[in-house]
Amino acid sequence: MTTGPRATPGRPYPLGATRAIGPDGSAGTNFAVGSQVAEAVTLCLIDPDGTETSIPLLDEDAGVWHAFVPGIGAGQRYGYRASGVFDPARGLRCNSAKLLLDPYARAIAGEVDLGDHVLGHDPAFPDHPSTLDSAGHVPVSLVVDPAFDWQGDHRPEHQLADSVLYEVHVAGFTRTHPGVPPELRGTYAGLAHEAAVGHLVGLGITTVELLPVHHSVPEEFLRARGLTNYWGYNTIGYFAPHAGYSARVAADQDGGQVTEFKEMVRTLHAAGLEVVLDVVFNHTAEGGEGGPTLCHRGLDNPAYYRLDPADRRHYLDTTGCGNSLNVRDPGCLRLIMDALRYWVTDMHVDGFRFDLAPSLARAEGGFDTLAAFFDIVSQDPVISRVKLIAEPWDVGQADSYDLGRFPPLWSEWNGRYRDTMRDFWRLQDGRIGDFATRFAGSSDLFHASDRRPTASVNLITTHDGFTLRDLVSYDHKHNEANGEDNRDGSGDNRSWNGGAEGPTDDAVVLVGRARRQRALLTTLLLSFGVPMLLGGDELGRTQRGNNNAYCQDNELSWFDWAGVDADLLAFTRRVVALRRAHPVFRRRRFLSGVDLAELTWFTPAGGPMRTENWGDPLARGLTVALDGDDAPDRASDGTLLLDDDFLLLVNGWREAIDFTIPAERVDQRWLVELDTGDLDRAGRAVGSLVRVAPQSIVVLRAALTRPGRRPGRRA
């Protein structure tokens, strides 16, 4: 370790490493890092050969240690060492033997060499500090040049009601794509390649929701099994794009992940696609008290983490990952807000999906709808204007399931929608009423708090569970490859197939599975709310029954572009286009009063649904009537646009059902828009009786032929 260049006090803000001009006019970098508990903080500049230059940060303002160092520019590797008390019983874990990442690092280089060197404590005596130096065993922070030519980048700004989300893994999407050059596969640049963008645009989605792209590291238990954390829900750098997804980094361009990520966003925006990030502001990769000391723990353990008041050696864990971020602390809350603002202003992303979001509202332990985080977000002029989506549950608390409790700015992953629609299509009794409620936007969950149908992000499948093809193909999970004796992941799938699992040559079984996939996709894409499609479901992607493939960075998780189900892809494109073309499927408000006539429900026999019909546990069929001229939309010039009328004939039974067109609709000319049970039926006219295949939906359309209301409509 050598003595570094002479540093001047610098500025306490902004936090992180920022290119700046010193008091004497020299160019350099301002370094600022927060710690209320450290007694001293040292900046460590690291040469390519690992030589470490030490610069004590002699100036501290309100817990922020800072210095300006002349001559330091982009590409400089650095870290921090925090000296102070190591007393786990008091929650203090400072240890100057540990080289720490900057919590505000814009880029990170290197891997974690998990083992005793990265532990802050002595593994034999956990209340004592480790004396092993972690340098060379941990990643380092990088100074980044923020300059970038955005070329007039324009955000698409799709309204929520008009949005179709597509959840996808940056790397897995293109890892085997034949149209993407090999050196770009599995990278940000690969996702921005014309072959990848062409698929997204052709599918018709509006918004890509990326699984975590913050820099992450794998857990030690996974490496011991020869696996890794593929999904990336083990964050260590909230400002840094994950280096492993960068073609530039793979080509030895330190810090190139930042430019490459910006290029990806710019390209997707130019194609009309938004970028939403799945963010993990509930825990970090440092885990519980036995985990590594990489960053936050070594700088200010009690500020960043919720500690057990009965024994501050231990962490309160509402995430299932060993620790929970301490949103009660101003410094931790500032980190979260600064990171969100950075990704919007500097990286141009269009919104966020918050993993285990209730953890952000647990300043006092319980979920609080008036939490400081919600209040700050609602007042922030940047964050309040982008898409905010909550996963409304966390782990191990009495109030861990908080669906419907988030503030008005927020949308939520609707787990009730997922469960209801799966149960209905797997022939469970008594689901007809809940099917209708979920289809109509889940007003029972959101309307009372003056929220709209767009508060509901509707989903059937997500990364965390079966793919769509596997959902209808397996009665039980098959997670053997994860090395936990198939004990991980959710439970069995409650019988779709009567024991005929997985691949089979039985033509009848294959037809049934294909039909169920189409019925589920149609339900999802035509329901009120915001649909989210799991990336690859449109292709028939399988994980061979693995419903917890978080650790499978291989062909099990990657998109199989050689095995695309072309018919399913064409069908999905058609249903997405149907939704986007017709405002009757994109309601911006819940229906009440006289507006209730815009959406009406009938029995398969053509009569109105009555109390006894809704309460019939064996009811399997339902006609959904949508009035197009009561669901006006507006063109870009403000012109009022009326829509066609639609009837959705829903058969949730294992046998065909004959549906009678309701008497008040029989004078209209109905054409088959799509039939999930018979793809060749589209475009045909139907009479007053329509047969619907088992577990299928027929969508009928009566075209608008003249202005005003048509016969048989309410005055």
Side-chain angles (χ1 to χ4, degrees):
M1 183 178 296
T2 62
T3 302
R6 183 176 181 82
T8 57
R11 299 177 182 273
Y13 298 103
L15 290 166
T18 309
R19 302 294 302 281
I21 301 298
D24 61 355
S26 61
T29 298
N30 191 82
F31 294 89
V33 64
S35 176
Q36 296 278 355
V37 299
E39 295 174 356
V41 176
T42 300
L43 169 67
C44 304
L45 303 178
I46 302 165
D47 293 340
D49 64 1
T51 301
E52 191 174 313
T53 299
S54 175
I55 302 176
L57 302 184
L58 302 179
D59 285 87
E60 180 260 335
D61 290 281
V64 176
W65 303 76
H66 55 90
F68 171 80
V69 185
I72 300 299
Q76 174 65 58
R77 297 183 172 210
Y78 72 100
Y80 292 106
R81 295 182 185 272
S83 303
V85 175
F86 186 92
D87 185 355
R90 294 164 54 197
L92 303 176
R93 293 180 178 270
C94 294
N95 183 344
S96 60
K98 305 303 159 183
L99 183 66
L100 306 174
L101 287 167
D102 181 355
Y104 281 69
R106 269 47 172 184
I108 292 172
E111 305 289 338
V112 176
D113 178 18
L114 292 168
D116 289 351
H117 283 83
V118 301
L119 300 179
H121 61 278
D122 184 329
F125 303 97
D127 280 348
H128 295 266
S130 166
T131 59
L132 299 176
D133 196 321
S134 66
H137 300 273
V138 292
V140 295
S141 307
L142 292 172
V143 177
V144 170
D145 184 352
F148 182 75
D149 182 5
W150 282 101
Q151 299 177 1
D153 177 57
H154 176 72
R155 298 177 185 275
E157 295 187 339
H158 296 293
Q159 295 293 313
L160 273 170
D162 301 327
S163 299
V164 179
L165 308 181
Y166 185 83
E167 189 193 34
V168 67
H169 190 285
V170 167
F173 182 59
T174 62
R175 187 74 76 181
T176 69
H177 198 301
V180 176
E183 67 274 13
L184 301 184
R185 294 174 187 169
T187 69
Y188 305 118
L191 183 56
H193 188 270
E194 60 183 1
V197 175
H199 175 77
L200 298 171
V201 172
L203 184 57
I205 58 98
T206 66
T207 307
V208 290
E209 182 178 305
L210 301 180
L211 266 68
V213 297
H214 290 164
H215 196 89
S216 62
V217 298
E219 297 90 338
E220 184 175 13
F221 74 89
L222 288 177
R223 283 197 173 171
R225 298 177 194 163
L227 301 171
T228 191
N229 192 316
Y230 170 66
W231 287 349
Y233 289 92
N234 209 39
T235 304
I236 198 59
Y238 288 116
F239 292 76
H242 186 63
Y245 302 154
S246 172
R248 289 172 179 255
V249 170
D252 293 327
Q253 297 181 35
D254 267 0
Q257 61 265 47
V258 178
T259 297
E260 189 173 334
F261 185 92
K262 291 177 178 179
E263 290 172 340
M264 177 194 72
V265 172
R266 186 180 65 193
T267 299
L268 293 173
H269 281 179
L273 299 168
E274 295 176 313
V275 179
V276 167
L277 303 186
D278 192 335
V279 291
V280 191
F281 289 110
N282 54 73
H283 76 279
T284 78
E286 292 183 305
E289 57 267 21
T293 294
L294 306 174
C295 180
H296 312 85
R297 173 179 284 138
L299 282 169
D300 199 330
N301 188 55
Y304 285 113
Y305 299 119
R306 294 180 62 200
L307 305 179
D308 185 345
D311 186 347
R312 293 172 68 82
R313 295 179 180 84
H314 306 302
Y315 295 81
L316 295 178
D317 181 10
T318 63
T319 68
C321 300
N323 64 54
S324 304
L325 286 185
N326 182 14
V327 291
R328 184 178 184 178
D329 185 87
C332 183
L333 196 55
R334 178 180 60 196
L335 170 79
I336 296 170
M337 292 305 300
D338 286 350
L340 293 173
R341 207 174 294 112
Y342 170 77
W343 285 97
V344 175
T345 58
D346 286 53
M347 307 296 267
H348 286 210
V349 305
D350 304 285
F352 306 96
R353 178 265 187 189
F354 292 82
D355 182 64
L356 304 183
S359 291
L360 289 161
R362 295 193 182 280
E364 304 299 329
F367 179 84
D368 184 2
T369 57
L370 301 177
F373 174 72
F374 293 148
D375 190 36
I376 293 173
V377 165
S378 69
Q379 298 179 50
D380 190 279
V382 174
I383 307 306
S384 64
R385 298 179 185 180
V386 301
K387 285 181 167 66
L388 302 171
I389 302 169
E391 181 185 37
W393 47 80
D394 56 5
V395 177
Q397 303 294 298
D399 59 353
S400 283
Y401 194 78
D402 297 295
L403 177 61
R405 298 184 63 194
F406 281 72
L409 282 176
W410 291 71
S411 298
E412 304 176 38
W413 271 23
N414 192 340
R416 282 281 299 278
Y417 180 96
R418 173 199 60 211
D419 298 343
T420 294
M421 296 314 188
R422 287 187 178 191
D423 283 350
F424 178 84
W425 288 112
R426 64 161 62 99
L427 310 179
Q428 299 294 299
D429 292 344
R431 299 298 193 272
I432 199 77
D434 209 19
F435 177 98
T437 300
R438 302 303 142 225
F439 181 92
S442 297
S443 61
D444 59 330
L445 298 174
F446 305 112
H447 192 30
S449 56
D450 200 29
R451 297 164 74 187
R452 298 190 175 201
T454 48
S456 177
V457 173
N458 299 329
L459 46 91
I460 299 291
T461 53
T462 71
H463 69 277
D464 191 2
F466 290 103
T467 67
L468 180 64
R469 179 177 169 184
D470 288 355
L471 181 69
V472 302
S473 301
Y474 291 88
D475 289 342
H476 305 280
K477 62 185 179 181
H478 290 275
N479 299 352
E480 291 82 2
N482 295 356
E484 297 183 43
D485 297 323
N486 205 33
R487 293 190 303 268
D488 62 304
S490 57
D492 70 32
N493 199 26
R494 289 192 284 175
S495 187
W496 287 82
N497 305 291
E501 283 205 335
T504 175
D505 293 328
D506 187 330
V508 174
V509 172
L510 290 175
V511 168
R513 289 174 182 171
R515 191 169 58 229
R516 287 193 290 266
Q517 287 181 83
R518 293 193 293 265
L520 285 160
L521 285 169
T522 301
T523 303
L524 172 67
L525 290 165
L526 299 187
S527 294
F528 300 176
V530 183
M532 189 187 79
L533 182 67
L534 172 62
D537 277 355
E538 77 281 12
L539 308 176
R541 187 173 74 89
T542 177
Q543 293 175 171
R544 299 196 289 277
N546 192 315
N547 74 352
N548 190 34
Y550 77 104
C551 55
Q552 299 295 328
D553 187 7
N554 50 51
E555 290 85 354
L556 191 70
S557 293
W558 302 341
F559 282 35
D560 178 13
W561 291 101
V564 171
D565 184 335
D567 291 338
L568 184 61
L569 174 57
F571 178 83
T572 308
R573 287 171 172 165
R574 185 174 178 183
V575 186
V576 173
L578 179 63
R579 177 186 181 85
R580 295 192 64 179
H582 294 283
V584 293
F585 302 117
R586 297 182 276 110
R587 301 280 178 165
R588 286 168 162 76
R589 53 185 169 77
F590 287 113
L591 305 178
S592 60
V594 70
D595 296 331
L596 289 173
E598 300 175 18
L599 170 65
T600 47
W601 314 90
F602 298 91
T603 68
M609 288 287 289
R610 303 188 186 282
T611 301
E612 60 270 22
N613 304 121
W614 291 119
D616 182 358
L618 300 181
R620 307 293 187 184
L622 182 68
T623 294
V624 186
L626 300 168
D627 283 355
D629 59 357
D630 290 314
D633 202 4
R634 291 187 180 274
S636 58
D637 62 0
T639 303
L640 193 65
L641 301 175
L642 302 183
D643 200 0
D644 302 328
D645 285 352
F646 286 87
L647 294 178
L648 277 66
L649 313 182
V650 181
N651 177 9
W653 187 232
R654 62 172 56 94
E655 298 175 1
I657 296 179
D658 289 328
F659 280 73
T660 299
I661 301 295
E664 62 187 76
R665 309 286 179 154
V666 75
D667 58 350
Q668 295 176 258
R669 183 172 184 267
W670 294 101
L671 300 176
V672 177
E673 184 69 25
L674 61 86
D675 182 344
T676 66
D678 182 356
L679 298 179
D680 295 329
R681 202 175 182 185
R684 299 178 187 174
V686 298
S688 60
L689 197 66
V690 183
R691 173 154 290 195
V692 180
Q695 291 182 283
S696 297
I697 300 176
V698 172
V699 179
L700 303 178
R701 179 170 62 91
L704 176 68
T705 57
R706 59 181 176 81
R709 303 185 186 281
R710 294 176 288 278
R713 315 299 289 281
R714 65 184 176 89

